[in-house]
Amino acid sequence: MTNVITCIDGTDVSAAVCDYGAWASLRLGAPLEFLHVLEKSEFPEQRNLSGNIGLGSREALLEELAALDEQRGRLALEQGKLMLEAAVARASAQGVEHPTSRQRHGSLVETLAEMEDTIRLLVMGKHDENLGEHVGSRLESVVRTMHRPILITTAQFTPPQRVMLAFDGSATTRKGVEMVASSPLFRGLPCHVIMIGSDSEANREQLAWAQGILERAGFEAPTALLGGEVERQLCDYRAAHDIDLLVMGAYGHSVIRRFLVGSTTTSVMRNASVPVLLLR
């Protein structure tokens, strides 16, 4: 059985990421596993400083620097273990049965790629680095590399009560509608289907198709066909209808999916006050 893999790193978003992971695990009935990766760039397993001898360094100094690196790595490893233990205890207290944990030393992207076949849903949080001009290099790399649904959380946990699906009638977003309809993750929650485009018969037919799929699966599925700029319309609709979670396809060429690779995506991800579930 595939797992809900929840990435934590000890930053101020980790508690919310744990809670969203536990929420998803309980909703999906899937095992929960917490993952902590010590990046090699920050905590190298062993640094070779011998090349610095010719720059006037003393051998004793090099040995001391190596010892400090080793101590720093051990402390980071121990901190990670304690963090994983706390995450497992937190999830258990919320009713998750037998949550597990895993710690790795290396690259987050490479680690997740190796685990991809075991992932049903990947849960990650927006970090401080995500609040600037870019979404964040590691998060962006994960989104571009993985072919699994990714739930990107905010810093505060709120159990979702209303979901909004960005829809454009493409094969990817039609598959997204079917995924939402068949998944227990959002069962019992209203799912608003929003399309940005002209008020044409073709677009109305696409919306009607999406609404029908969701309603036959037992969802309340309000729809809206809106003109104008994609990001503005999605954000305004979300705020007006108190949406708790945004669902959209990751990457592509259509009007909604195209903004996921450009500056608009960066802005949406940076400014989103609700979690975003990216479907692949």
Side-chain angles (χ1 to χ4, degrees), residues 115-135:
M115 297 173 60
E116 187 165 18
D117 289 343
T118 70
I119 298 175
R120 181 171 180 178
L121 174 67
L122 177 63
V123 183
M124 299 182 66
K126 289 195 300 182
H127 305 87
D128 290 341
E129 69 176 67
N130 307 136
L131 302 181
E133 286 298 319
H134 302 287
V135 174

Side-chain angles (χ1 to χ4, degrees), residues 40-265:
K40 286 183 178 179
S41 59
E42 297 181 54
F43 301 100
E45 291 176 301
Q46 185 175 4
R47 183 186 299 182
N48 184 358
L49 298 173
S50 60
N52 292 334
I53 292 177
L55 300 178
S57 300
R58 296 291 187 268
E59 185 174 350
L61 176 59
L62 295 178
E63 291 176 355
E64 185 175 352
L65 289 172
L68 288 173
D69 270 350
E70 184 179 353
Q71 182 181 25
R72 181 169 172 260
R74 283 201 307 268
L75 290 174
L77 187 68
E78 184 62 27
Q79 181 187 30
K81 289 179 179 178
L82 293 174
M83 180 174 57
L84 288 169
E85 290 175 4
V88 167
R90 187 182 183 102
S92 297
Q94 295 177 31
V96 178
E97 294 187 4
H98 311 301
T100 59
S101 65
R102 183 186 308 212
Q103 189 174 51
R104 290 290 182 268
H105 190 283
S107 161
L108 174 62
V109 174
E110 291 176 0
T111 299
L112 290 172
E114 292 172 0
M115 297 173 60
E116 187 165 18
D117 289 343
T118 70
I119 298 175
R120 181 171 180 178
L121 174 67
L122 177 63
V123 183
M124 299 182 66
K126 289 195 300 182
H127 305 87
D128 290 341
E129 69 176 67
N130 307 136
L131 302 181
E133 286 298 319
H134 302 287
V135 174
S137 58
R138 277 183 292 185
L139 179 57
E140 184 178 1
S141 295
V142 169
V143 171
R144 289 181 179 275
T145 301
M146 301 298 293
H147 294 84
R148 292 290 186 270
I150 303 175
L151 177 61
I152 301 172
T153 79
T154 50
Q156 299 295 324
F157 172 69
T158 302
Q161 300 297 319
R162 284 165 292 279
V163 180
M164 181 173 76
L165 174 63
F167 178 73
D168 61 12
S170 65
T172 298
T173 56
R174 287 171 71 94
K175 181 181 177 182
V177 170
E178 293 170 340
M179 288 174 66
V180 171
S182 63
S183 173
L185 187 63
F186 302 123
R187 192 67 47 78
L189 305 181
C191 182
H192 296 241
V193 184
I194 310 305
M195 193 172 194
I196 312 298
S198 61
D199 187 8
S200 66
E201 181 177 355
N203 283 342
R204 290 194 297 272
E205 288 178 356
Q206 292 279 13
L207 271 179
W209 174 87
Q211 186 177 46
I213 291 291
L214 291 166
E215 288 182 343
R216 285 192 290 275
F219 285 84
E220 177 187 344
T223 64
L225 178 57
L226 306 172
E229 194 271 325
V230 174
E231 180 190 2
R232 171 62 63 185
Q233 292 288 9
L234 291 178
C235 291
D236 287 352
Y237 188 96
R238 185 208 63 75
H241 294 82
D242 199 21
I243 301 296
D244 301 300
L245 191 147
L246 173 62
V247 182
M248 56 179 57
Y251 304 120
H253 303 289
S254 60
V255 62
I256 283 180
R257 288 178 294 133
R258 186 166 57 244
F259 85 85
L260 286 170
V261 297
S263 59
T264 306
T265 298

